[in-house]
Amino acid sequence: GNRAQHRVCTRLLEGPVPPPPRRRVGGPGRAAMGKGHKQSKQGGLSTKTRKKSNKNSRASHIARKIRTKDIDQVHDDLKEPNKFLAGVLEKDEDLPGMGQFYCIACSRFFQTAAVKVAHEKSKLHKRRLQKASDIPHSQLDAELAAGMTHDR
């Protein structure tokens, strides 16, 4: 009994026992669990894990993009803003805010009038409104710029 008491006393004097060192998962020479741990033989990342460049301009990305109205269409809508007031628009359950709060410049629907007012203060809305307020180019402008003459 005396030896057991002595062991307990010496452990209390030494202080708390530190936790065992943490093992690093992954890293050189060690396979991590899951995918993405294999490297190519040249030392770089494998082709699956490498970050691809210019992926936003690819045709597949553009085809999947949700298209909004073009600026010339928005310009025509800005001529008649009374069509897009809350109450004049027909109610649609599928749209946010029953389709009542619509921003003409950005062609977006909002949940409430307060959210729409907050959106109208945003930089994105102001830029889009500036672009839409400019007079859009016509086919005649493009042909004159290209040097094609027109006889009238």
Side-chain angles (χ1 to χ4, degrees):
N2 209 8
R3 282 188 183 173
Q5 287 175 344
H6 180 68
R7 256 189 254 129
V8 172
C9 287
T10 53
R11 282 192 186 152
L12 290 174
L13 290 174
E14 291 171 4
V17 180
R22 299 183 80 180
R23 287 184 46 208
R24 234 176 67 215
V25 179
R30 202 180 277 162
M33 291 177 67
K35 295 182 181 176
H37 63 277
K38 293 181 182 175
Q39 287 189 331
S40 68
K41 292 185 179 173
Q42 298 298 319
L45 289 171
S46 65
T47 55
K48 286 184 181 178
T49 56
R50 187 182 304 131
K51 186 163 173 29
K52 294 177 177 70
S53 59
N54 76 336
K55 59 185 176 189
N56 287 348
S57 58
R58 289 187 179 155
S60 61
H61 182 266
I62 292 169
R64 275 183 266 125
K65 209 171 169 186
I66 298 169
R67 301 284 297 161
T68 58
K69 283 187 179 179
D70 288 325
I71 292 295
D72 56 335
Q73 294 170 316
V74 171
H75 182 79
D76 294 338
D77 288 344
L78 280 170
K79 292 177 184 173
E80 301 164 359
N82 296 334
K83 283 184 179 179
F84 301 100
L85 294 174
V88 177
L89 289 167
E90 60 184 69
K91 294 191 177 190
D92 188 354
E93 290 180 11
D94 298 331
L95 294 172
M98 297 290 285
Q100 295 301 300
F101 309 105
Y102 182 71
C103 174
I104 303 168
C106 304
S107 61
R108 282 180 62 184
F109 288 94
F110 295 95
Q111 197 69 33
T112 61
V115 177
K116 184 183 171 207
V117 168
H119 160 76
E120 286 169 352
K121 292 177 184 174
S122 71
K123 198 177 277 190
L124 184 84
H125 171 79
K126 289 175 184 175
R127 281 190 197 136
R128 186 115 169 127
L129 192 63
Q130 183 68 43
K131 275 187 186 176
S133 62
D134 294 342
I135 299 167
H137 297 291
S138 64
Q139 184 63 34
L140 180 67
D141 294 339
E143 289 171 358
L144 288 172
M148 302 169 100
T149 55
H150 281 277
D151 297 326
R152 288 190 177 196

